[in-house]
Amino acid sequence: MIGLGFVYAVGGAVFLAYAILSATDGGNPKRWGNAAFYALLAASFWLGDLLGDVGNGVLVLGLVVVAGFKLMGRGGRPTTSIEERREEAARRGNRIFLPALIIPAVALAGTLAFKRMPGLFDVRQVTLVGLTFGVLLALAACYAWVRPRAVTPLAEGTRLMDSVGWAAVLPQMLASLGAVFALAGVGGVVGGIASGIIPEGSRMGAVVVYALGMAGFTMIMGNAFAAFPVMFAGVGMPVLVGLWSGDPIKVAAIGMLAGFCGTLMTPMAANFNLVPAALLELKDQNAVIKAQVPTAIPLLLANILLLYFLAFA
Amino acid sequence: MLVLLGIAVVVVGFVLRFNPLLVVAGSALVTGLAAGLDPLSVLASFGKAFNDARYVSVVYIVLPVIGILERHGLQERARTAIAALKGATVGRLLIGYLILRQATAALGLTSIAGPAQTVRPLVAPMAEAAAEKQGAPPGEDRVPALAAATDNVGLFFGEDIFIAIGSILLMVGVLQGFGIEAEPLQLALWAIPTAVCAFAIHASRLCLLDRALAKARARQEGAGE
């Protein structure tokens, strides 16, 4: 069956290519750090299920050492100049968009089609499988059309990967921190504190503590998934549903979205906030967060009002 | 209470600008020790969760395609295409992208767009070209950052309308723990009011940007006469 195994096989191969191309990049003074980082990720994709839990933990420690001691740099491979690109863009016209559009088109078609083939595809992973097929087809189209040297797309990919660098694994690290927090019972303590500061007899007060707690804990954990079980168990269920007879479905649904407002405002949500800033080569690594705060704060207020007026109807 | 030390480590580590991977690993260790776990079981639970979450890093396989197309002028073409389009403004362009992103995410198509797949190669250069046409100074962070922000807003407040997304399934599971049987569809339904608010708030900010750019240009032209 084609599922995550296939996706991870391709992922491992691409990261191994990034590792090899980093190791052979004489223009990067820290090439061994980059090579080690990408090689560890390739190992994670290919061997993660065989390493065992402690083995994976050691692998993560390796990534932390490489990134934490600043052993990664930017690749130095030459690419085309802006003048060459302008000239080629004018010559190739809008057809240059087609290979890029293959990826979403195939991901979309795959998502819809693979669902009907449960014998062949893992139906829970159809979008990721579709994305992977899209990438492979787009790559094939690029080879056929612009006829680069075999290694050039991967070298260009390494160049972009270097601009993301260690931030690439922060989301995975935070998911893991969430697991440790769960094991240690952090949620119970945070939920207890949150329910303790609710002003007595105030429904609005309870709604505000719940929504702000959801956004605030999401900002610390970088992910609303970690905050939701904590705030729902600590405040949502006992106070909003239990004490004020709120509808648990609405309290849950809108509460989660209050958490998403927190995601927009924190560097811990690296894949949404730091990675784009790195990919776009912005001068300020917090520029994306700064662009989002003016949307996130009014939206958080909107969620508080939605909770207050909808959840107790 | 002692287990909250891990949260303190995260906050202090970020304020002091340590490498976030170090901060997270440190926080996990402190939290585990404070809870009386032995270091090896902290390492094991950390490693297991890391392995289970690999799917979030799969998206970096698109970079070779984007890289080779950029080498051959993808971003430059995106700029030209927008510059040639009459009536294209950065606000209108990004509102269009916001609608597209919210609608596709609501259908469960979260991975077809994103910072690597669409924002860097297409949306950001198009937004910059439009803004420059409106008289914005080139090379600033503001417009590309707003393009990335629009992608996030569209994704976050679209995907929760789709019933098979992770956050909905998480809520179903948590509610089940309290003995409440919730249909994913019910939860998805109550994501719609917030999705509408998110669109209204973000789209009006984009309209205001268009207006601010027009005003700045008018002032400049006025000063030039």
Side-chain angles (χ1 to χ4, degrees):
Chain A
M1 192 155 70
I2 301 176
L4 276 184
F6 165 72
V7 173
Y8 289 165
V10 174
V14 173
F15 272 100
L16 186 63
Y18 294 158
I20 293 169
L21 287 163
S22 295
T24 55
D25 179 0
N28 179 0
K30 295 182 172 180
R31 59 184 164 141
W32 295 113
N34 291 43
F37 194 82
Y38 300 144
L40 283 167
L41 282 171
S44 164
F45 274 119
W46 275 356
L47 308 173
D49 294 329
L50 306 173
L51 286 176
D53 295 343
V54 175
N56 277 303
V58 172
L59 189 149
V60 176
L61 286 184
L63 292 169
V64 171
V65 167
V66 174
F69 294 97
K70 303 191 164 47
L71 303 179
M72 295 178 81
R74 287 277 192 105
R77 276 207 172 74
T79 181
T80 45
S81 71
I82 190 131
E83 288 75 26
E84 286 172 291
R85 290 179 179 198
R86 277 196 189 127
E87 184 272 323
E88 195 163 343
R91 189 157 50 81
R92 291 194 188 270
N94 289 333
R95 283 171 300 165
I96 190 99
F97 295 133
L98 291 177
L101 293 174
I102 288 177
I103 300 174
V106 173
L108 170 59
T111 305
L112 301 175
F114 298 164
K115 269 196 190 131
R116 292 160 193 229
M117 297 180 248
L120 188 56
F121 294 97
D122 182 347
V123 289
R124 287 163 307 162
Q125 307 298 346
V126 279
T127 313
L128 276 178
V129 173
L131 178 76
T132 309
F133 272 114
V135 168
L136 294 176
L137 281 173
L139 205 52
C142 290
Y143 274 116
W145 186 40
V146 301
R147 301 197 174 275
R149 289 172 50 212
V151 81
T152 304
L154 292 163
E156 293 287 336
T158 308
R159 184 170 58 79
L160 298 184
M161 194 67 228
D162 285 347
S163 60
V164 179
W166 56 261
V169 298
L170 187 52
Q172 253 180 289
M173 293 281 294
L174 285 163
S176 314
L177 180 61
V180 174
F181 273 23
L183 206 63
V186 173
V189 178
V190 171
I193 292 175
S195 68
I197 57 174
I198 295 174
E200 213 166 313
S202 163
R203 195 170 86 188
M204 190 48 143
V207 167
V208 168
V209 168
Y210 173 67
L212 293 186
M214 196 77 81
F217 199 51
T218 297
M219 288 175 73
I220 288 168
M221 296 303 298
N223 190 331
F225 286 28
F228 178 78
V230 171
M231 297 312 294
F232 191 76
V235 181
M237 203 54 205
V239 183
L240 296 188
V241 177
L243 192 62
W244 295 103
S245 343
D247 176 347
I249 306 256
K250 297 177 198 169
V251 170
I254 303 172
M256 176 71 93
L257 294 162
F260 284 8
C261 296
T263 317
L264 292 172
M265 298 189 281
T266 175
M268 296 304 269
N271 48 336
F272 300 113
N273 297 338
L274 299 186
V275 168
L279 271 174
L280 295 168
E281 296 169 64
L282 303 181
K283 293 179 275 298
D284 177 3
Q285 72 160 10
N286 291 319
V288 177
I289 296 171
K290 287 174 187 161
Q292 282 168 172
V293 168
T295 296
I297 289 175
L299 191 54
L300 187 53
L301 289 175
N303 277 322
I304 289 172
L305 295 176
L306 287 172
L307 266 172
Y308 187 76
F309 288 109
L310 294 178
F312 305 95
Chain B
M1 283 308 268
L2 216 53
V3 294
L4 296 184
L5 281 176
I7 293 183
V9 170
V10 169
V11 174
V12 171
F14 247 97
V15 170
L16 296 181
R17 293 176 164 268
F18 284 119
N19 178 280
L21 299 193
L22 268 183
V23 172
V24 171
S27 169
L29 184 67
V30 168
T31 305
L33 293 181
L37 303 166
D38 73 289
L40 203 63
S41 62
V42 175
L43 188 69
S45 80
F46 202 86
K48 181 183 183 331
F50 187 83
N51 193 49
D52 289 343
R54 276 176 294 172
Y55 62 92
V56 298
S57 301
V58 164
V59 66
Y60 298 107
I61 64 173
V62 308
L63 296 182
V65 175
I66 302 304
I68 188 72
L69 291 173
E70 280 188 7
R71 183 189 177 91
H72 293 281
L74 181 65
Q75 289 188 339
E76 285 65 28
R77 187 66 216 172
R79 283 173 202 275
T80 326
I82 281 299
L85 210 65
K86 277 211 179 77
T89 65
V90 58
R92 285 179 199 159
L93 174 81
L94 290 181
I95 289 172
Y97 184 67
L98 180 63
I99 294 173
L100 201 70
R101 188 71 163 127
Q102 258 192 319
T104 50
L107 297 173
L109 303 166
T110 50
S111 312
I112 66 165
Q117 300 98 309
T118 48
V119 178
R120 170 171 170 132
L122 299 171
V123 183
M126 284 179 170
E128 283 184 296
E132 282 167 33
K133 219 169 67 164
Q134 290 164 269
E140 281 187 355
D141 280 354
R142 184 170 61 150
V143 172
L146 202 54
T150 304
D151 185 80
N152 281 336
V153 172
L155 171 67
F156 291 2
F157 303 100
E159 66 171 6
D160 241 36
I161 301 173
F162 181 62
I163 53 174
I165 205 76
S167 54
I168 298 273
L169 302 179
L170 173 69
M171 286 190 269
V172 171
V174 170
L175 285 164
Q176 233 162 25
F178 288 100
I180 299 165
E181 290 301 323
E183 287 295 325
L185 195 60
Q186 293 174 293
L187 287 160
L189 191 70
W190 290 103
I192 293 174
T194 303
V196 172
C197 293
F199 180 81
I201 292 167
H202 198 70
S204 28
R205 282 188 60 210
L206 293 168
C207 289
L208 289 177
L209 174 65
D210 271 351
R211 210 182 288 176
L213 286 174
K215 244 185 213 163
R217 164 168 278 184
R219 211 176 312 129
Q220 228 168 20
E221 279 166 7
E225 272 161 20

